[in-house]
Amino acid sequence: PAVADAVRRTLPLRGGVLAHGAATAALLAVAGGTVAGRPLPAAEAAATFVLVLLTSARTLYWARDAAALTRRLERTEGWFRALVHSGDAVTLVLDGSGRVTSATGPVAERLGVAEEDLIGRVLPGLLHPGDRDLLDRVSAALRDGTPDGLPAAGRLRAADGTWRDVEVSGAAPAAGRRSGDGLVLHLRDVTERRAGQRELERLAYTDSLTGLPNRARFMAALDGALTQASRGRRSCVLLLDLDGFKAVNDVAGHDAGDRLLCEVADSLRAEARAGDLVARLGGDEFALVVDAGPDEALALAERLVARLDRTQRYAAPGDPEGAGPVLRTSASVGVTEVVAGADASATVREADLALRTVKAQGKNGVRASGEALVEESARRSRLARDLPAAIERGQLRVVYQPVAGVAERRVLGVEALVRWDHPVLGPVPPEEFIGLAEEDGLIVPLQRWVLQTATAEHARLVEQGRDLKLGVNISVRHLQARCLVEDVTRALQRSGLPTHLLMVEVTESVLMDDDERLLAELAELSALGCIVSLDDFGKGYSSLAYLARLPVQVLKMDRGFVSGIDTDPRGAALVGSVVDLGRTLGMDVVAEGVETREQMAVLTALGCRFLQGWLIGRPVPGPALPALVDAFDPAPLDGPVPVAVP
């Protein structure tokens, strides 16, 4: 059928050419004969006349068809131009060298370049340097027949020097199948659409508070670093967590916390280099992808720790200058190298392990991942796995440390302390497994067991005629669980220990949680007849205003107050102020960590009446406690000759 169509299209043209050729030959023959003097027969003259007439008629017929065809072409061209100009696309015709030979449509409006300025220009010269391969991509898509090559986007320079985002929505060879003769391109202005897309991407990959990249952007950058690591390029990941951020939020308010986060973000931007990515993962946790090896990454981490270690006043909006509490914040950083072949999650876990190690070792420092961390992690995992069954297996025990009265010259009470003897790892420090129990939600059953065990053993001691008070440490998590009163009541009922002999010791971190329900829980314990003691007083943030509201009868000074008290006048002054505070509020003050006679002499001179520490007595198991109490030697309480307070 294609051949037949071609024949039908070519026969009329061939016939016309033959007819004109024959008529012209006949006329030339007749004219030549006439010029040569040959007589013209009537038949030949008639035939010539008919031939000329037919040729003229055919010419007139063609002229009429040509006029109709011209009108049709003009109408079609009008339709085409109207269609082109009514749309939002611009049609460009390029020659083989990429030069614009024709431009139709809203050229100036869409491309920012006048049509006359565009004609004759080489299109690649108007494109952004990063998009100079646009025509090559379009040509490859047409040549290979790959529809995913279109639409192709690029940036075109407008007359005012700005860049317009344009999209090649359609393309075709300018000379049919001969793609080398040029291209016809349909361009659309997508500047607004691309700007919207970029804004959505910015929102999707940016932290709204600090303006830093968020976790999604960080993970994408880490994937890129892993790809680069497979090609030999070194990089590291830093995880940074703020120390003391919760105190800022709880004490100074969330506005102050937000301001602190923004300040930290600015500090991280200032310290990071051009090739580093700084991100906020959420809360007070930040991360960096550092384009360098471990040495430079550790140096950067140390600079960050030094820069973020600050003590400042956090005033609420509208407060006068100099108002607000003074709080200290710092940073802990974990560092790990990006290793080829690892995945992003494993790399983040390594850095997080290093970060948690810094936190466990006192915060405000830097730690890199390595073999030592793996061993430490293995130990922590082992303890976390074995702690739930430690009670059932009899690995936990309670020891008791005496508290002596200076005026009474005898032991007035004991503090119950839990110990863990692991069958494989040996003795586990309380600060290690207590923190683990709090993190893993095991602190309530652990302290419930300590309450029951200590009250039962102490009740037997009281039955033997020894009038001693029993102190048991209680975690804030136990208070928050809303079951402390029930657990204390059950332990007292089972043991038969008089209520007034039990002293519930809570750390001053309870002051950080301004929760009326916690206050009510402590008030209910006090109403039962128990003594409420505030342990480690002065170790962290202490709100004296909130302290006055708590039903506290005893303040136990942190051992940090006592250390060096005999040589540090300022330390002695602080202890004296705490003793005076307790006297003013009607609270007994106990000094912990008393180890030397010189310390005890200063404490006695300052009016501190109750002492606890190795000088008074070391922790002993329950069966050995009666002998310790009965054999207590009050001679150390006499101390040396009275001394002057430093």
Side-chain angles (χ1 to χ4, degrees), residues 62 71 105 153 168 235 259 275 311 355 374 415 424 440 475 520 550 623-624:
W62 280 4
R71 288 193 299 270
V168 182
S235 58
R259 291 197 301 272
T311 300
L355 173 61
V374 173
E415 180 181 359
V424 176
D440 293 351
S475 169
L550 289 174

Side-chain angles (χ1 to χ4, degrees), residues 193-212:
R193 190 182 75 190
R194 293 293 297 275
Q197 290 175 347
R198 284 192 289 267
E199 178 63 15
L200 290 176
E201 290 176 359
R202 187 191 68 80
L203 294 175
Y205 288 100
T206 304
D207 175 61
S208 59
L209 175 63
T210 62
L212 292 176

Side-chain angles (χ1 to χ4, degrees), residues 200 220 222 237 248 340 510 517 525 561 575 636:
L200 290 176
L222 181 53
V237 168
V248 175
V510 71
R517 292 175 296 180
L525 285 173
F561 277 98
V575 171

Side-chain angles (χ1 to χ4, degrees), residues 158-180:
D160 58 1
T162 61
W163 294 100
R164 295 284 185 94
D165 289 300
V166 295
E167 181 182 80
V168 182
S169 58
R177 299 179 181 178
R178 296 179 297 172
S179 58

Side-chain angles (χ1 to χ4, degrees), residues 132-395:
R132 293 284 169 79
D133 63 338
L134 176 63
L135 295 185
D136 295 336
R137 286 185 278 134
V138 173
S139 299
L142 295 177
R143 182 177 61 252
D144 301 336
T146 54
D148 55 350
L150 294 175
R155 286 158 291 179
L156 186 72
R157 184 185 293 276
D160 58 1
T162 61
W163 294 100
R164 295 284 185 94
D165 289 300
V166 295
E167 181 182 80
V168 182
S169 58
R177 299 179 181 178
R178 296 179 297 172
S179 58
D181 289 343
L183 293 172
V184 177
L185 304 180
H186 300 289
L187 303 182
R188 292 182 182 274
D189 180 13
V190 293
T191 302
E192 293 185 3
R193 190 182 75 190
R194 293 293 297 275
Q197 290 175 347
R198 284 192 289 267
E199 178 63 15
L200 290 176
E201 290 176 359
R202 187 191 68 80
L203 294 175
Y205 288 100
T206 304
D207 175 61
S208 59
L209 175 63
T210 62
L212 292 176
N214 60 10
R215 179 182 292 272
R217 180 68 184 88
F218 164 74
M219 295 303 292
L222 181 53
D223 287 335
L226 287 166
T227 302
Q228 293 294 331
S230 63
R231 300 170 185 167
R233 186 162 184 169
R234 304 185 75 180
S235 58
C236 294
V237 168
L238 276 63
L239 286 188
L240 183 146
D241 189 82
L242 291 182
D243 310 319
F245 177 71
K246 186 177 185 300
V248 175
N249 252 354
D250 293 347
V251 177
H254 290 281
D255 288 340
D258 290 345
R259 291 197 301 272
L260 174 60
L261 292 175
C262 292
E263 292 172 3
V264 170
D266 292 339
S267 298
L268 296 182
R269 289 190 190 97
E271 291 292 343
R273 302 165 310 169
D276 302 335
L277 178 126
V278 182
R280 181 189 175 208
L281 303 186
D284 60 342
E285 190 173 14
F286 297 82
L288 292 88
V289 179
V290 180
D291 188 20
D295 292 340
E296 293 183 52
L298 285 170
L300 173 60
E302 291 169 357
R303 292 199 303 271
L304 292 175
V305 169
R307 179 163 184 161
L308 296 177
D309 186 5
R310 63 182 73 173
T311 300
Q312 62 185 23
R313 189 177 298 277
Y314 291 87
D319 285 350
E321 185 177 354
V326 177
L327 300 174
R328 179 175 182 265
T329 57
S330 59
S332 300
V333 183
V335 183
T336 190
E337 185 172 7
V338 177
V339 180
D343 59 26
S345 298
T347 303
V348 173
R349 282 196 301 270
E350 287 290 324
D352 185 62
L353 176 60
L355 173 61
R356 286 189 284 114
T357 303
V358 178
K359 289 284 193 180
Q361 293 177 344
K363 306 177 181 179
N364 194 24
V366 179
R367 187 69 184 267
S369 61
E371 184 176 347
L373 283 185
V374 173
E375 295 176 357
E376 190 168 342
S377 177
R379 173 183 173 88
R380 182 180 180 84
S381 299
R382 176 69 181 268
L383 293 176
R385 185 174 65 251
D386 295 347
L387 182 58
I391 297 176
E392 300 175 1
R393 296 171 181 171
Q395 299 173 8

Side-chain angles (χ1 to χ4, degrees), residues 401-404 415 417 505 535-537 555-566 575 589-601 603 608 610-619:
Q401 185 173 26
V403 178
E415 180 181 359
L417 305 170
E505 300 185 8
D535 199 11
D536 296 333
F537 182 77
L555 288 181
K556 298 189 74 173
M557 282 189 295
D558 182 70
R559 63 182 61 250
F561 277 98
V562 177
S563 177
I565 190 177
D566 52 321
V575 171
V589 178
V590 180
E592 294 183 294
V594 183
E595 298 181 357
T596 67
R597 294 172 66 88
E598 289 76 16
Q599 292 172 348
M600 186 181 62
L603 288 168
C608 185
F610 304 100
L611 309 176
Q612 180 180 356
W614 284 4
L615 182 66
I616 306 302
R618 294 176 179 251

Side-chain angles (χ1 to χ4, degrees), residues 391-429:
I391 297 176
E392 300 175 1
R393 296 171 181 171
Q395 299 173 8
L396 295 179
R397 57 189 177 90
V398 179
V399 297
Y400 303 89
Q401 185 173 26
V403 178
V406 175
E408 293 80 3
R409 296 174 54 79
R410 67 180 181 89
V411 175
L412 300 178
V414 294
E415 180 181 359
L417 305 170
V418 63
R419 297 290 186 264
W420 184 8
D421 298 320
H422 195 281
V424 176
L425 302 178
V428 182

